[in-house]
Amino acid sequence: MKSIKAATYYVHFKHKGYKELNSLLIKKDYSSIFILVDDNSLELCYPVFIPLLETDKRIEIIEIESGEINKNLDTCGGVWNALTELSADRNSLLITLGGGVITDLGGFVASTYKRGIDFVNIPTTLLSMVDASVGGKTGVDLGVLKNQIGLFANPQIVLIDGNYLATLNERESRSGIAEIIKYGLTYDVKLLDLIKNFNSLNINELIHRSIEIKNEIVLQDPKENGLRKVLNFGHTLGHAIESYFLESKNKKNLTHGEAIAIGMVCESYLSHKVLQLSKEKVMIVKNMIDVMYEKVVIDVSDYDPIFDLLKHDKKNSNGQVNFVLLNDFEDFKLDCKISNELLIESIEFYNS
Ligand code: GLY
């Protein structure tokens, strides 16, 4: 698969990726190599990865606990301490091997440790392949507020190897598909047909096209001053729902994809109400998501706490919540404002 050129780095695929990573190790002559993993990627991905790494430099593993709940400053503190105790210096390399928590947190830790060391992203989940590992966003959550602390920093290389997806369970795979649906609805509707016929044969094509789209957007607007906001379609309500379910003891945790799938149904409904998205197209989105994801019940008593969380959304300006909505598939409008009454209607539509 053809490598994709991002701002200061390349996204490489499969064998080419390992070849380029090994060349990077020679070129940069790193003093030591640290591999950040969680319990899952250590067990399932590390044994696949390590024989492919060609180096005689010292390699150390740093393991954190898996799960969004651990994507916080306490975990960063643990990793910074481990790097210090293991004598990582400014010429060390951190390789992140794992899902979105590992690549987001690892990129943040690397770019702040001793004012910044190099890092390489090797995403092992569909979600992190098509979104988190590309585009330079790094960071962690602050309490329930997602990605509240972080910075833009680019890896040296992103290495995509679809073989790691074999280690995922069904629910994790579906989580990543939600981001691909987002690219389909906002940028390239042909992706929706590919998703309907999603199988192990077309997954590499879906990943490649998704990264191409994300990269095209990020190249034009790396710091999210305008166009990049389109990547937040479904995420305004989706993030608030995800945070609310994460903090509520009596709710099961949703995956990121499950939450933004709900967000995309609600925000498609809003697009019909305030822009020109047709009812037929809203139903295409709802039916697709109803088929793909287990239904989540959002009770009336959940509405207010979810709307409270919306107030903390990073995309807000002057206290106003901003939504990305659709005039049509592949035709979006940024910075739309929505009344509370319509927000309630949109969740009722999702529940229906
Ligand atoms: N995940 C959204 C972005 O990278 O901008």
Side-chain angles (χ1 to χ4, degrees), residues 207-255:
I207 294 170
H208 194 273
R209 182 66 190 128
S210 297
I211 297 175
E212 257 179 0
I213 293 172
K214 176 154 187 188
N215 187 50
E216 198 181 304
I217 294 166
V218 172
L219 282 176
Q220 292 175 67
D221 179 21
K223 295 270 174 84
E224 200 171 302
N225 294 315
L227 177 67
R228 186 169 180 165
K229 294 180 189 172
V230 66
L231 296 174
N232 297 319
F233 176 66
H235 284 60
T236 306
L237 268 165
H239 268 162
I241 292 168
E242 186 181 1
S243 296
Y244 174 66
F245 275 66
L246 194 67
E247 71 172 358
S248 304
K249 298 227 163 15
N250 58 344
K251 302 269 181 201
K252 71 163 191 179
N253 286 353
L254 299 178
T255 63

